[in-house]
Amino acid sequence: MDWEFIGSHIPDYAAGAWVTLRFGLCGVGCAMALGLICCLLRYFRVPVLKGAARGYIELARNTPLLVQLFFLYAGLPRVGIRLSAEACAVIGLTFLGGAYMAEAFRSGLESVEKSQREAGECLGLTRWQNIRYILLPQALATAVPALFANVIFLIKETSMFSVLAMMDLMNVADTLRTSGGRTVEVLFMLAAAYLALLLPVSLLANLAERRLRYAGFGNQRSV
Amino acid sequence: MQDLGISVLFRGVNFQRLLLGLWVTLRIALITIGISIVLGLLFGIVMMSRSRAARSVCRVWLEIVRFMPQLVLLYLVYFGFARLFGWNLDGEASAVLVFSFWGTAEMGDLFRGALTSIPRHQRESAAALGLTRAQINRYILLPQTVRRLLPQVINLSTRIIKTTALVKMINVTEVLKVGQQIIGQFYREPSAAFWVYAAVFLLYFLICWPISLLAGSLERRYHE
Amino acid sequence: MEPILRVKEIYKGFDGNGVLQGVSLDIREGEVVVIIGPSGCGKSTLLRCINGLEKIDRGEIWLRDQRISDLGKDMYRVRQRIGMVFQSYDLFPHMKVMDNLLLGPVKALKKPREEVEAEAVEMLRRVGLADKAQALPRTLSGGQKQRVALVRAMLMHPELLLLDEITAALDPEMVSEVLNVVIDLAEQGMTMAIVTHEMRFAEAVADRVLFMEQGVIAEEGVPEEFFREPRTERARRFLQSFTYASARKRPRDPAGMPEDA
């Protein structure tokens, strides 16, 4: 292992990690918003839109991100829709992630007991107040592990941004590999960089899960 | 000129070429799924074993596949192993190795989860009826485990199929690569790229969607 | 006097089973109506239909001079005037007791928070839970939870309160602490429709007893007469089977046989 080589290229990887993280988090944020919207459209049974949400979720969950990205980046411009690489990255990740987030929110909502909804209704809350104050907070608490799993999954998926010619971690490594020939060091740093990015997310997920468990969330009913 | 673009798909043997490319990814996926199920069972059993060391190895293995993007693992094996150990694996072999490494751990974790999720009193009340250990396994535990497991295993399988799209990145001529070759040949049709990528997108969807629907319906059926 | 609530010939079926088969009922202001009957007779369904948790197939329900049986999305306005408490308490687990109490009055009725809070403190004190305002529901016993649920419903100042087997999930020693609160409410003149299996409580609190069987009201009367001398054979059998079963199983609590609805 050539430590000098590794040391001298840390800034390159830091720059790549910053690209990965920035666009990854951007996509994750948009995916959460889109997922929540889709989940609510289905929950409130909004005509037409709930069907559209369902169709979108199936489409996004059953196709690879790589193919989605090629379609956005190399296919769409040929029919006159030109998007920058960065836009493709965020749109692609949002498109893929929104479906997974929607499913996480949905199973969270389903885990809230029906009687909770009825108790809210009996207080004369509107449907929106009911979901805002009673159902969603409980659903979110149950959905936290699934949501964090999605975040990790999506950040890993950003490794495909390299096909968009973005200088993310993957592309930084690939460029170094093809130019320098120090394959082992390059790949070692690549793995280490992803570990450094994702370990904190994973620790955060554990922490959140434990705190919620202590707070007595979840659907177990004590009599 | 869009109507011209879409005709590229059906010119000559282009569509068959795409399907052949798709078969390359599917073949990798099927081999991977088979290996992952067999080794995953072992993995799950080891995860529940008494040996602390064996459990830790599984734990680390699982964390590696959870943290590392599959693309990074592919690069490690395809480019790294040649340098490190002098193994010159071709793209397909690397892909099967990496995806099986990943699938084994994920399958194993599913098996472990399903086995430990059956409430203790199921075993106890079966024992109270005087059933033998083998009978308890055969009639009580196995059917419940399979019901819990089947939808999850199917879901993981669609993930494996989708992930095999990555082999394009290590120079395997699969459906995306074939698509790009077609686009290259028909560069005079400006909208060819749009239709070819759309077709690849749709092909993946048509394969994964029915499998997902199956998993969903099994899940609902077993839930009742 | 005009009744608060009029239920006119309502029908309700689940999957081809007629659960309510033509039930009519008037409740006057300040009246306490207790509904009893065997499991599956439709008594819980009747309460759930009244505040729109179940949609009725036929018939009408009126709250004062408003027909409420076909309001659809606007039902929430009516529910602000009808309180309901269930056997499973259904406190909101992610909120402290006080937040559980404030949610309805502040969000649904848009009352000022301070005003409701003062009232809530007073009501908690009256039911013996003054020190629990900042507790999370999971730290409370079943009886305490159910008293909080009662206070939560009462803070809405409902014109009518529906109680659906509110002691069915409680350990026997906690039943009376909850039912005493209900008897208090009755003495203050609260209008209530109560489904219960606690016969001695029913006798103590009711102005009128309805006996339901197979989706219809089979008998009704004042408690003194109904419990001593039921007119119909079916009601007599119901009351008898009750004391017979409980006399063998639980000699010290003849009225306390728990039963699922």
Side-chain angles (χ1 to χ4, degrees):
Chain A
M1 200 76 86
D2 183 345
W3 294 103
E4 206 171 313
F5 175 88
I6 290 177
S8 68
H9 285 98
I10 283 179
D12 297 336
Y13 278 87
W18 175 232
V19 172
T20 294
L21 196 65
R22 194 153 38 114
F23 291 99
L25 289 184
C26 206
V28 164
C30 295
M32 284 218 189
L34 180 63
L36 191 58
I37 290 169
C38 286
C39 171
L40 291 178
L41 287 177
R42 295 182 71 182
Y43 181 81
F44 284 113
R45 312 220 168 125
V46 182
V48 186
L49 288 180
K50 73 161 200 255
R54 166 105 214 262
Y56 149 67
I57 289 171
E58 294 293 348
L59 211 57
R61 278 170 55 92
N62 288 298
T63 47
L65 178 62
L66 192 62
V67 178
Q68 295 168 8
L69 290 179
F70 270 112
F71 180 74
L72 285 174
Y73 191 58
L76 283 185
R78 302 307 176 87
V79 292
I81 304 169
R82 254 165 243 286
L83 299 167
S84 68
E86 287 79 9
C88 285
V90 173
I91 291 173
L93 207 59
T94 304
F95 181 81
L96 177 78
Y100 283 88
M101 295 294 183
E103 292 294 284
F105 285 126
R106 186 179 60 96
S107 67
L109 264 186
E110 276 174 4
S111 76
V112 181
E113 304 231 7
K114 182 169 153 251
S115 61
Q116 284 283 315
R117 198 191 70 215
E118 292 182 347
E121 285 176 1
C122 286
L123 284 179
L125 299 179
T126 61
R127 293 227 290 166
W128 173 248
Q129 286 174 329
N130 207 0
I131 195 153
R132 157 91 177 70
Y133 296 110
I134 296 171
L135 303 181
L136 215 49
Q138 296 184 60
L140 280 180
T142 352
V144 158
L147 291 174
F148 268 108
N150 285 345
V151 172
I152 292 179
F153 162 68
L154 289 177
I155 293 183
K156 280 164 63 178
E157 291 284 296
T158 60
S159 57
M160 285 164 219
F161 287 175
S162 52
V163 301
L164 305 174
M166 282 172 67
M167 284 311 267
D168 75 323
L169 270 177
M170 201 70 213
N171 210 359
V172 165
D174 210 28
T175 311
L176 280 178
R177 184 183 61 79
T178 43
S179 62
R182 310 235 180 177
T183 307
V184 176
E185 284 82 0
V186 163
L187 294 176
F188 168 78
M189 288 180 79
L190 179 63
Y194 273 107
L195 195 68
L197 273 187
L198 290 172
L199 203 59
V201 182
S202 165
L203 292 177
L204 199 66
N206 282 340
L207 195 74
E209 227 173 297
R210 203 165 315 153
R211 282 199 54 171
L212 286 171
R213 210 166 32 236
Y214 286 145
F217 273 108
N219 39 358
Q220 76 275 34
R221 182 196 285 169
S222 55
V223 174
Chain B
M1 299 292 271
Q2 288 178 19
D3 42 3
L4 283 177
I6 195 171
S7 69
V8 164
L9 285 177
F10 306 103
R11 211 169 292 168
V13 290
N14 282 355
F15 202 71
Q16 284 94 311
R17 283 169 68 194
L18 277 182
L19 287 181
L20 274 176
L22 192 64
W23 170 240
V24 173
T25 38
L26 272 185
R27 192 174 54 204
I28 295 172
L30 288 176
I31 297 172
T32 300
I33 291 167
I35 294 175
S36 300
I37 288 176
V38 175
L39 293 184
L41 246 173
L42 287 176
F43 190 98
I45 292 168
V46 172
M47 272 191 104
M48 292 189 301
S49 80
R50 297 224 178 90
S51 154
R52 225 192 145 88
R55 282 206 315 261
S56 313
V57 169
C58 289
R59 199 71 245 168
V60 171
W61 183 343
L62 190 61
E63 292 301 324
I64 290 175
V65 300
R66 290 264 162 91
F67 278 130
M68 284 302 126
Q70 281 88 14
L71 192 55
V72 173
L73 292 177
L74 272 182
Y75 269 47
L76 277 176
V77 170
Y78 186 69
F79 297 112
F81 276 20
R83 292 304 170 100
L84 274 177
F85 313 117
W87 298 356
N88 273 312
L89 296 172
D90 70 0
E92 251 187 273
S94 307
V96 169
L97 186 66
V98 164
F99 294 147
S100 300
F101 179 76
W102 163 55
T104 297
E106 294 263 15
M107 286 281 182
D109 198 41
L110 290 184
F111 290 145
R112 185 196 55 82
L115 284 170
T116 50
S117 71
I118 295 170
R120 254 169 81 102
H121 57 76
Q122 283 288 319
R123 182 191 290 278
E124 286 166 358
S125 52
L129 285 174
L131 297 185
T132 66
R133 218 187 137 100
Q135 284 171 326
I136 294 174
N137 284 333
R138 163 77 185 76
Y139 295 109
I140 311 295
L141 301 185
L142 197 66
Q144 295 191 51
T145 314
V146 169
R147 279 165 171 247
R148 223 168 274 244
L149 212 49
L150 207 55
Q152 296 175 325
V153 169
I154 295 175
N155 269 330
L156 180 56
S157 301
T158 60
R159 274 172 64 202
I160 290 177
I161 295 175
K162 285 190 299 170
T163 309
T164 46
L166 289 182
V167 297
K168 183 208 167 280
M169 310 294 285
I170 51 168
N171 304 325
V172 176
T173 309
E174 47 64 76
V175 59
L176 264 177
K177 192 88 182 172
V178 172
Q180 286 175 333
Q181 290 168 354
I182 295 175
I183 293 167
Q185 285 166 348
F186 292 87
Y187 62 93
R188 284 201 191 83
E189 307 282 1
S191 66
F194 174 83
W195 292 107
V196 168
Y197 286 125
V200 175
F201 184 86
L202 207 64
L203 284 174
Y204 266 105
F205 180 69
L206 289 178
I207 288 178
C208 292
W209 190 45
I211 306 177
S212 297
L213 287 182
L214 175 69
S217 82
L218 283 177
E219 206 158 356
R220 270 190 301 281
R221 168 137 39 109
Y222 291 156
H223 221 70
E224 283 157 14
Chain C
M1 195 167 59
E2 268 296 286
I4 287 189
L5 183 84
R6 302 202 103 135
V7 175
K8 295 185 186 169
E9 277 292 300
I10 62 167
Y11 287 79
K12 169 72 187 173
F14 291 109
D15 310 321
N17 277 332
V19 178
L20 295 179
Q21 314 205 32
V23 173
S24 297
L25 162 71
D26 284 359
I27 300 181
R28 291 186 312 276
E29 183 123 35
E31 192 181 24
V32 177
V33 175
V34 171
I35 306 161
I36 60 173
S39 295
C41 69
K43 51 195 193 306
S44 284
T45 307
L46 174 59
L47 290 196
R48 293 169 62 84
C49 286
I50 289 174
N51 82 339
L53 288 178
E54 309 287 354
K55 238 170 99 71
I56 57 174
D57 302 332
R58 214 142 44 95
E60 290 178 6
I61 302 173
W62 289 71
L63 184 65
R64 297 196 195 268
D65 50 6
Q66 186 186 12
R67 193 166 80 182
I68 61 169
S69 42
D70 50 7
L71 285 179
K73 244 176 61 182
D74 290 328
M75 190 63 199
Y76 75 93
R77 289 186 197 285
V78 173
R79 294 205 184 103
Q80 293 168 0
R81 299 161 57 194
I82 302 179
M84 184 160 185
V85 180
F86 303 88
Q87 92 175 45
S88 48
Y89 339 120
D90 298 299
L91 298 185
F92 307 127
H94 56 300
M95 298 177 176
K96 290 176 181 159
V97 166
M98 184 52 83
D99 296 324
N100 263 279
L101 299 180
L102 295 180
L103 185 67
V106 172
K107 297 298 176 194
L109 300 180
K110 315 256 186 262
K111 284 192 183 174
R113 195 184 174 89
E114 300 74 39
E115 185 188 314
V116 189
E117 201 161 344
E119 202 186 346
V121 168
E122 169 58 20
M123 279 210 198
L124 279 179
R125 193 188 57 74
R126 278 221 303 266
V127 301
L129 295 172
D131 54 332
K132 298 294 185 190
Q134 297 307 316
L136 275 170
R138 71 194 159 90
T139 62
L140 304 182
S141 73
Q144 291 172 328
K145 281 184 205 170
Q146 200 56 295
R147 280 181 280 161
V148 173
L150 278 167
V151 171
R152 185 173 72 181
M154 287 309 298
L155 274 171
M156 298 290 289
H157 295 286
E159 295 162 46
L160 169 68
L161 184 60
L162 310 172
L163 305 181
D164 187 5
E165 304 200 38
I166 57 169
T167 57
L170 294 179
D171 291 334
E173 73 270 19
M174 292 174 181
V175 168
S176 67
E177 67 188 54
V178 170
L179 294 185
N180 282 332
V181 174
V182 179
I183 288 172
D184 256 12
L185 291 176
E187 278 166 4
Q188 290 162 35
M190 187 72 221
T191 314
M192 291 188 274
I194 303 174
V195 167
T196 186
H197 285 288
E198 306 283 345
M199 293 302 147
R200 288 193 306 193
F201 162 70
E203 201 169 349
V205 80
D207 294 317
R208 187 150 53 104
V209 178
L210 304 182
F211 171 70
M212 281 186 73
E213 195 179 39
Q214 291 175 350
V216 295
I217 295 174
E219 179 171 344
E220 77 175 272
V222 291
E224 296 79 25
E225 287 167 18
F226 177 83
F227 286 106
R228 217 148 300 148
E229 263 183 278
R231 289 192 305 277
T232 58
E233 180 57 31
R234 293 194 283 185
R236 191 170 306 134
R237 265 208 313 272
F238 174 71
L239 289 174
Q240 248 169 23
S241 71
F242 228 89
T243 40
Y244 173 66
S246 51
R248 304 194 91 185
K249 282 183 184 161
R250 260 200 229 168
R252 282 191 303 153
D253 185 12
M257 193 179 85
E259 193 179 347
D260 293 331

